[in-house]
């Protein structure tokens, strides 16, 4: 590779700019960005008309469920430090900034009868500031912070929550769609469902085996209705793109046995295909393997109907094709093997697989995140092979540590993951259009509080002013964004790549 680079450099010297494209790891129009989410950075949880979301309630009522007992009350204080955030983004030179709207900042009670002008003006300032700096806004409508009054009505397992979501989405299109051209309806719906099927995220209502499937069903319909609303009422004038962000830490078989190959496939179908198949496949609907296994398990449990709800054939058609790109969050890879895991019943158990990590894979500050750079190449290939040549936007990817400024682990992660991604584009011909580093800055990492840090910028949470300091990875990312090249530097973290 180094030899190749030297050759290209020599060619450039001789032929000048005409030869430039040949040497780029990423195409010239490839987009680089960074991401955050409202609850994780904004703070200002109860000011300027904002009301509670399920994450406010969760952290206030159960600090014991958060690793350091913390919450997002102040977080990075981005509500008051917008200008500082904009300066950091400009300094990085990114093409886009992915952020999320806090539903309860815009609609304090979740419903459209009361729109909060301060909420609208905060996001207007953000969007206008981005555009003035030449940075595209990529806006997520829902990054896990459901307004509490909607949880009181049942939250995502209640199919009416889709109605409330679509009305909220309309307010967003009406107020911001003249300037926002990239929309993501839901961030990681699989994780949202874990709030209803595991002892995990807010609202932590563990109706395992049922709640997660009902939530997913509502979310898929809410997504599709939002997409169609955009098509019918906004696309002609606003000309943007609307999709969803799905997450998958890819499953590969633990060994070459047929059982474990099937287990890895089930893992990817039960986790990613669950949402991707209804939207991106030719046939639509839930993956066949989910239908069969959950229907059979439900019957064996003596239930009169399946725990996995059915779409009508009209709904299957309605959901199919509701995308303009494939938003993928990818951090890590797992080894899958045949077996039973999770509570009985549960989505995990229905899937009939267990996952683990290869002990040689480097670890991070998050128990679920290990480093396996080839995984990103494998998963974009899998998406392409499974759903066709859809443009893939990596909407998140990143590495956690304890907050080092000289964050060699993160730098190695970005170098190696981006190198693999460039191979997927250049050698495998996969249509990847952009990459998003998670995250712009250290922030509230859900159940891990402030213990696991993902930022390109360090944030001092002990200081009321929440000062931000660029880490080594900010410098590296800036270089990559500017050059569209991954530097050849030696791996520093002794990972043996
Ligand atoms: C995915 C989520 O979207 C984001 O909120 C979270 O902080 C990162 N992964 C890291 O866990």
């Amino acid at each position: 590779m180094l030899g190749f680079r030297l050759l290209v450099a020599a060619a450039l010297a001789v032929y000048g700019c005409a030869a430039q494209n040949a040497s780029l790891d990423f195409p010239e129009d490839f987009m680089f960005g960074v991401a955050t989410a409202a609850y994780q950075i904004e703070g200002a949880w109860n000011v300027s008309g904002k009301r509670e979301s399920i994450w406010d309630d969760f952290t206030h009522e159960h600090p014991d469920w958060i690793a350091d007992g913390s919450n997002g009350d102040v977080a990075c204080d981005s509500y008051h430090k917008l200008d500082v955030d904009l300066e950091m983004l400009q300094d990085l030179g990114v093409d886009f900034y992915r952020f999320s709207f806090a539903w309860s900042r815009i609609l304090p009670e979740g419903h459209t009868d009361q729109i909060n002008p301060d909420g609208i003006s905060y996001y207007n300032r953000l969007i206008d500031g981005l555009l003035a700096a030449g940075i595209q806004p990529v806006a997520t409508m829902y990054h896990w912070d459901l307004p509490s009054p909607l949880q009181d009505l049942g939250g995502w397992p209640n199919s009416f929550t889709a109605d409330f979501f679509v009305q909220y989405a309309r307010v967003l299109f009406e107020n911001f769609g003249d300037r926002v051209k990239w929309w993501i309806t839901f961030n990681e719906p699989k994780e949202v469902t874990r709030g209803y099927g595991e002892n995990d995220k807010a609202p932590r209502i563990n109706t395992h085996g049922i709640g997660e499937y009902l939530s997913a069903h509502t979310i898929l319909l809410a997504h599709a209705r939002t997409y169609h609303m955009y098509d019918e009422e906004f696309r002609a004038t606003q000309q943007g793109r609307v999709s969803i962000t799905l997450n998958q830490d890819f499953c590969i078989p633990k060994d070459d046995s047929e059982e474990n190959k099937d287990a890895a496939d089930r893992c990817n179908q039960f986790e990613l295909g669950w949402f991707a198949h209804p939207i991106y496949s030719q046939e639509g609907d839930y993956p066949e393997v989910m239908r069969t296994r959950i229907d059979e398990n439900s019957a064996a449990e003596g239930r009169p109907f399946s725990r996995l709800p059915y779409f009508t054939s009209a709904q299957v058609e309605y959901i199919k094709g509701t995308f303009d790109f494939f938003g993928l969050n990818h951090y890590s890879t797992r080894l899958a093997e045949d077996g039973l895991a999770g509570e009985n019943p549960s989505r995990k158990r229905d899937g009939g697989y267990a996952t683990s990590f290869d002990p040689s894979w480097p670890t991070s500050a998050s128990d679920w995140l290990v480093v396996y750079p080839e995984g990103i190449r494998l998963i974009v290939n899998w998406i392409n092979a499974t759903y066709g040549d859809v443009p893939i936007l990596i909407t998140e990817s990143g590495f956690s540590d304890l907050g080092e400024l000289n964050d060699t682990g993160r730098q190695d992660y970005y170098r190696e993951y981006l190198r693999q991604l460039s191979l997927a584009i250049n050698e495998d011909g996969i249509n990847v259009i952009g990459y998003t580093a998670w995250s712009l800055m250290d922030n509230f990492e859900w159940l891990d509080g402030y213990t696991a840090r993902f930022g390109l910028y360090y944030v001092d949470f002990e200081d009321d002013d929440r000062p931000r300091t660029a880490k080594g990875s900010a410098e590296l990312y800036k270089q990559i964004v500017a050059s569209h090249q991954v530097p050849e530097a030696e791996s520093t973290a002794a990972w043996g790549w």
Side-chain angles (χ1 to χ4, degrees):
M1 187 67 166
L2 187 59
F4 173 72
R5 284 263 160 68
L6 288 175
L7 209 66
V8 172
L12 268 178
V14 176
Y15 299 112
C17 296
Q20 224 159 23
N21 286 350
S23 69
L24 296 181
D25 288 333
F26 292 92
E28 244 167 276
D29 58 356
F30 188 87
M31 305 178 297
F32 285 99
V34 288
T36 60
Y39 185 74
Q40 296 180 270
I41 65 159
E42 283 180 7
W45 71 282
N46 61 351
V47 306
S48 302
K50 181 184 169 295
R51 295 295 303 277
E52 292 85 350
S53 79
I54 53 175
W55 273 95
D56 293 310
D57 295 343
F58 185 86
T59 54
H60 292 160
E61 287 162 22
H62 291 284
D64 51 310
W65 288 348
I66 310 295
D68 53 5
S70 66
N71 55 50
D73 287 3
V74 180
C76 308
D77 205 17
S78 285
Y79 188 72
H80 298 111
K81 304 190 79 64
L82 191 55
D83 295 337
V84 184
D85 292 356
L86 287 168
E87 275 167 31
M88 285 147 62
L89 290 162
Q90 260 182 293
D91 189 51
L92 288 170
V94 286
D95 301 301
F96 66 89
Y97 178 45
R98 177 175 176 235
F99 65 93
S100 80
F101 292 103
W103 188 339
S104 56
R105 196 179 290 293
I106 294 182
L107 307 177
E109 300 293 329
H111 304 282
T112 48
D113 54 339
Q114 205 193 324
I115 299 180
N116 177 23
D118 286 357
I120 300 282
S121 86
Y122 171 66
Y123 293 111
N124 271 335
R125 283 203 296 127
L126 170 59
I127 293 163
D128 292 344
L130 290 171
L131 292 173
I135 300 169
Q136 276 297 314
V138 175
T140 306
M141 296 176 166
Y142 186 76
H143 202 122
W144 307 357
D145 43 358
L146 187 71
S148 302
L150 300 185
Q151 182 52 46
D152 294 342
L153 294 170
W156 291 109
N158 176 1
S159 59
F160 287 103
T161 304
D163 296 344
F164 305 134
F165 180 83
V166 175
Q167 294 317 312
Y168 161 58
R170 175 190 296 285
V171 171
L172 298 183
F173 290 145
E174 281 172 352
N175 281 277
F176 309 111
D178 55 338
R179 288 154 294 149
V180 173
K181 303 301 165 193
W182 292 82
W183 292 100
I184 290 163
T185 53
F186 289 88
N187 175 68
E188 300 195 349
K190 174 175 67 185
E191 302 307 311
V192 176
T193 71
R194 293 177 65 185
Y196 300 93
E198 279 172 58
N199 275 325
D200 195 78
K201 305 203 158 61
R204 201 181 271 206
I205 293 171
N206 191 357
T207 49
H208 51 87
I210 297 177
E212 62 270 54
Y213 295 134
L214 293 181
S215 313
H217 208 70
T218 310
I219 289 172
L220 279 161
L221 286 165
H223 161 79
R225 286 173 59 184
T226 304
Y227 184 91
H228 285 290
M229 175 170 71
Y230 193 74
D231 263 359
E232 286 153 22
E233 299 179 43
F234 299 97
R235 192 183 289 277
T237 50
Q238 300 190 350
Q239 314 243 325
R241 299 170 180 81
V242 180
S243 282
I244 189 167
T245 277
L246 306 179
N247 63 307
Q248 185 67 346
D249 291 335
F250 199 49
C251 272
I252 58 176
K254 190 166 185 182
D255 55 37
D256 274 347
S257 66
E258 287 311 311
E259 303 83 73
N260 292 344
K261 284 184 194 162
D262 286 351
D265 190 54
R266 283 201 303 281
C267 168
N268 293 319
Q269 292 297 349
F270 265 76
E271 298 188 14
L272 180 58
W274 187 12
F275 298 94
H277 201 270
I279 297 172
Y280 293 94
S281 72
Q282 294 293 320
E283 320 81 73
D285 211 344
Y286 292 120
E288 190 51 42
V289 66
M290 289 187 78
R291 182 83 275 156
T292 314
R293 290 179 72 100
I294 303 166
D295 285 3
E296 280 174 11
N297 287 351
S298 303
E301 289 152 14
R303 298 175 196 270
F305 52 81
S306 178
R307 288 184 280 102
L308 181 68
Y310 275 76
F311 291 117
T312 63
S313 44
Q315 286 173 329
V316 168
E317 290 307 311
Y318 184 77
I319 297 171
K320 206 165 74 177
T322 53
F323 66 87
D324 297 319
F325 57 92
F326 196 115
L328 175 72
N329 287 359
H330 173 80
Y331 288 81
S332 191
T333 292
R334 291 166 292 161
L335 299 173
E337 63 191 301
D338 193 44
L340 290 181
E343 293 187 83
N344 191 12
S346 64
R347 189 253 303 154
K348 274 192 183 160
R349 206 174 177 84
D350 287 330
Y353 59 87
T355 61
S356 58
F357 302 125
D358 185 308
S360 71
W361 294 345
T363 55
S364 71
S366 309
D367 57 7
W368 53 271
L369 202 176
V370 298
V371 181
Y372 185 72
E374 293 88 339
I376 198 164
R377 182 176 183 182
L378 293 174
I379 192 170
V380 295
N381 269 276
W382 188 89
I383 289 169
N384 181 277
T386 313
Y387 306 114
D389 191 24
V390 48
I392 300 171
L393 175 62
I394 306 293
T395 40
E396 280 182 36
S397 172
F399 177 83
S400 63
D401 60 18
L402 301 175
E404 292 86 338
L405 283 180
N406 183 19
D407 54 347
T408 52
R410 179 168 301 99
Q411 292 171 49
D412 286 350
Y413 179 100
Y414 282 126
R415 259 196 298 270
E416 298 305 324
Y417 271 64
L418 283 168
R419 216 187 297 289
Q420 290 294 326
L421 194 63
S422 79
L423 293 174
I425 297 169
N426 299 322
E427 311 248 312
D428 311 334
I430 308 298
N431 187 8
V432 185
I433 59 171
Y435 181 86
T436 318
W438 182 274
S439 175
L440 170 61
M441 61 192 144
D442 296 338
N443 56 49
F444 179 77
E445 177 55 16
W446 310 112
L447 299 184
D448 287 337
Y450 298 100
T451 62
R453 289 164 176 257
F454 279 89
L456 298 177
Y457 282 77
Y458 176 85
V459 178
D460 183 354
F461 294 104
E462 301 298 315
D463 187 321
D464 286 348
D465 203 34
R466 298 297 193 269
R468 286 93 154 113
T469 310
K471 301 179 187 174
S473 56
E475 195 46 49
L476 171 72
Y477 199 57
K478 193 168 156 176
Q479 254 182 55
I480 295 175
V481 172
S483 65
H484 283 215
Q485 305 261 27
V486 184
E488 274 297 339
E490 288 303 309
S491 172
T492 45
W495 288 348
W497 292 324

